[in-house]
Each structure stands twice: as C-alpha cells, then as structure tokens.
Amino acid sequence: MDEAHVEKKHPRAESIKIREAITRSVEANVVALAGLIAHGRGEAFDYILGEKTTSPGMKAITASAAYIILAEHPILSVNGNVAALCAEEFVELSKISNSKLEVNLFHRTLEREIAIENLLKKAGADKVLGVGEAASSRIQEIFSDRRRVDPEGIFKADVVFVPLEDGDRTQGLVKMGKKVLTVDLNPLSRTAQWANVTIVDNIIRAMPLLISEVKRLKTVKPLELKAIIKNYDNKKVLSEAMIIMEQRLHSLAEKGVYLDIDY
Amino acid sequence: MDEAHVEKKHPRAESIKIREAITRSVEANVVALAGLIAHGRGEAFDYILGEKTTSPGMKAITASAAYIILAEHPILSVNGNVAALCAEEFVELSKISNSKLEVNLFHRTLEREIAIENLLKKAGADKVLGVGEAASSRIQEIFSDRRRVDPEGIFKADVVFVPLEDGDRTQGLVKMGKKVLTVDLNPLSRTAQWANVTIVDNIIRAMPLLISEVKRLKTVKPLELKAIIKNYDNKKVLSEAMIIMEQRLHSLAEKGVYLDIDY
C-alpha cells in the first residue's frame, strides 16, 4: 500500500501512516499476521490514552533508563513489531547503553529471525543475538517453542527491555528473577501488570524519550539512579495511566468527539 | 496457525480462537491485512466493553431489525472481516428479511471479491451483488476506488446494514439519504457517530441476536415497528455504551484485573 493513499486532511492521518508501515513489514516477513492484530489493539488503547506521552508514561521511561544504566548485562528484546517501528532507535539505545540486541519472537521462523536481524544490521547493529540455533536456552515454565532465548542474551541478563511482549513470557522472565521493563499501551495486560516497569505509551513516542533519558542519566551518580528505582512504584504508575484513560473516555463521551472535527 | 495452539485455560482463549480464524482468512484471501489491524482495535474496545452484549447494544439491535423489516430495498453489506466471522449469519439474515447481499470492500481486488462471493455461496447464498464489473455505481463525495457500489444494491437501497465500515463511506451513504445501520465496537468512530443505528457490540455476538429480533418483529404490525424507530435515539445509545466502557475501565483499574485471575 502506498503512502499517497493517506489524505493529509484525514483525521487519523498519523495513525494510518504507521498502520501502512507495519502492513508493509508483513510483506517483508518482519511482522507476523498476529502482530497486525496486536498493533490494532494498541491503536485503540492509544486513542483512548490521547495519543501522547503522559506523566506516568514519563516516570516509567525515567525508571527504565535508570535500570538499563545500572544493569550488569542489559538486553533489548526485538520482535517483529518493534523492528518494523523502531529498528534505528533500538540500535541507538543499544550503543549508548552497552546493551545487546536479541531477536525474541512469539511466532518463531528462521526466515523472520533473519529478516529482523538484517533490518537491525541495516540500521547499524554490529551483533544480533537470538537468531536460529543461537536461541538454545529456555524461559522456565513455558512449554512451547515460545520459551527459546539466547544463553548469551536474555537467559543470563539481569535487566531485560521487552516491549510489546506476550503475558506468559513476561511472567516467565519475572519468575526467573530478571528485572523486566516493557512498553504496553494496555495497562491491564498481563505483561503490563507483571513487569517491573511498564511504559504505557506508543513505542514510537517512547523510544526517543528513553534514548534522551539514558543520555541524561548516564552522567548521574549510581546512588541517584538507585533512588529513582527505589522510589518507582509500577502499580501506582499503572493506576495513573488507567485514570487518564478513564477520564479521557469520559470527556470524549461528553463532547461526542469526531462530529465537531473539521474535515 | 492451528487451534490446538490455544490452551483451554488461557484467560483469553475465546478471543484467541476468533483471532486465529480471522488470521486464516487472510491466507484464504478473504481478509485484507488492514482488516487484521481493524480486528485488533475491535478486540481492545470489546475488552473494555466487557465482551458481552449490553443494554444499549440490544436497543440498537431491535431498532436495526425494525429498519430492515420496514425497508423497501434493504441491503446487507459484506466485507472481508464480516465474511470471515459471520458468513452463515448474513445468508440467514438475508433470507428471513428478503435483503440482498453485496460485497463491499475498502481494499477492492477482484480476487478478494470472488473469494467472499464463494464463501457466501458456500454458506447458502443464491445471489451476491457487488462483484467485479457489477460495482459500477458511486458513493457521492468519495474520490477513490472506495466509492464503488452495485447499482442494483447499495446504490438504490433505502436501508443499508454496513457493519465494520469505514468512516468516509458511512458518511457518504448517510449524505445520499440512506438509513445506515452498523456494528462498531468503537462508539467514537466516525462510522459509529454518523450511522442512524450503531450496534456497539462484537459482530459475532450481535448477529444471532439480530436474526432473532427480525424473526420476532416480522409478526408485529408496521405501526409498532415505526414506533420503535421513532423512539430510538442513536446519540443516547452511543452515550450509554460509552458510560458502560468508562465504568468498566474504572472498576478494572480499581481491582487491578488479571493478577487475581486463576490461570
């Protein structure tokens, strides 16, 4: 589908442009069909959130930056949707934070793993973990192909940044004792609820902010970073995000939304 | 993807089963890739709605039944997602209400039109409008291929049932003077807001209820049906649906949802 299809005046132009990019990534075998449905769920929650980074979102971004900087062995997990939307940002974050990149798919096929590896390398990555036979370790308590992770990556990581992740696997990683940071527009999802830090935001908006926060906090003393983590309360942050959604739904309901937009 | 992949105890088993059915329909060329994203948006709104037919949903189903029975020339519009999820129900509704079926796609390709026609015929349809050259009339004010409709179908219809429709086209149909009935899980969408009757419900739950209501109301006097329509207020019904969503988001936020589910 061609971008020219989107009329600029369309009230949802930005959202449609992203939608078209992710659809093209299916054709390039980077995104699985189930990834498109997941993207749609995100679109709906983002719409209710107000399509902007909120204050609880920003708190979670700051806490994530602190965790990544303090980590001994931080890993950035990349699935198809993440690669399609933010390959460059993941490579940049990996470089500025000395984190490794790992391809970590819900629907594993070697072809898709290689397509994502290539996308990351094209965006400047030196090394990409988790491709093919490299994903030979297992997440505990997961009994399908979905348990596979790289022994040099997620398996031995202390901090894992796994945006747009499946609930079972997030839970598995937390139970393995890892600190799990995620991005999930649905504050009620199991991933959102199980993670140590949940950034309730669109990954496209969150990544540049996370990069800025890592750059800013790298110059700060470890004690201050530890204080950021100590003061961070994910349950409270999730609750604040839900309240924002609830209030926005309330105000949209009151004014009837779209019909007074000029298009 | 095989249905066996869904563990029965998964907290979202029903939703995942439907998700897999619609994914298979992409492989059968019935559903467009953009249709998967739209399905995901619906999943999110259905989750917030509570995944059941609500009282405003039922009011809209009753009003839709009254409109369809009183219509001179009612048309049931079928797109890829509708065909994938409810082909049998559309054929049954068409038969009990003397409505015609029309294939009406956002992303038209002859191959997909024929795949949907075949699906409907396999489900028992005698005739299917809107396939190939038959879609030679135009919805006003739409300036792309998306304007095409059948002169024997939607173009001359007085009542059109167009579930899961695009906002521009819903608006176009309303401006042409047609009574537009729709199913849309997002009460804030332009389709939901422009239609004369909006059933805010999952089409899988709504269709059997709509069929029952048409059967029940067929035995009722036209004057009573006209009273149902006269007393129906779509703005009020949409507002009630939004209030249900808002309250549910509030109660989910309060109890923190998933973490106390036993799975």
Side-chain angles (χ1 to χ4, degrees), chain A residues 10 19 27 33 36-37 40-41 43 45 48 107 171 188 190 193-194 242 246 250 253 256 258-259 263, chain B residues 1 10 19 33 36-37 40-41 43-44 48 171 188 190 193-194 242 246 250 253 256 258-259 263:
Chain A
H10 193 288
R19 193 182 298 170
E27 287 145 15
L33 292 179
L36 289 184
I37 300 180
R41 287 194 297 278
E43 275 187 359
F45 283 108
I48 295 171
H107 298 287
Q171 199 174 332
L188 300 160
R190 286 185 299 148
Q193 304 251 319
W194 271 94
M242 289 178 219
E246 184 194 324
H250 183 81
Y258 267 133
L259 293 186
Y263 57 89
Chain B
M1 200 166 156
H10 193 289
R19 194 183 297 170
L33 292 179
L36 288 185
I37 301 179
R41 287 195 297 278
E43 274 187 0
I48 296 170
Q171 199 174 335
L188 300 159
R190 288 185 298 149
Q193 304 251 320
W194 271 93
M242 288 178 218
E246 184 194 326
H250 183 81
Y258 268 132
L259 292 188
Y263 57 89

Side-chain angles (χ1 to χ4, degrees), chain B residues 35-52:
Chain B
L36 288 185
I37 301 179
H39 183 76
R41 287 195 297 278
E43 274 187 0
F45 283 109
D46 200 16
Y47 179 66
I48 296 170
L49 188 68
E51 293 174 320
K52 60 187 180 202

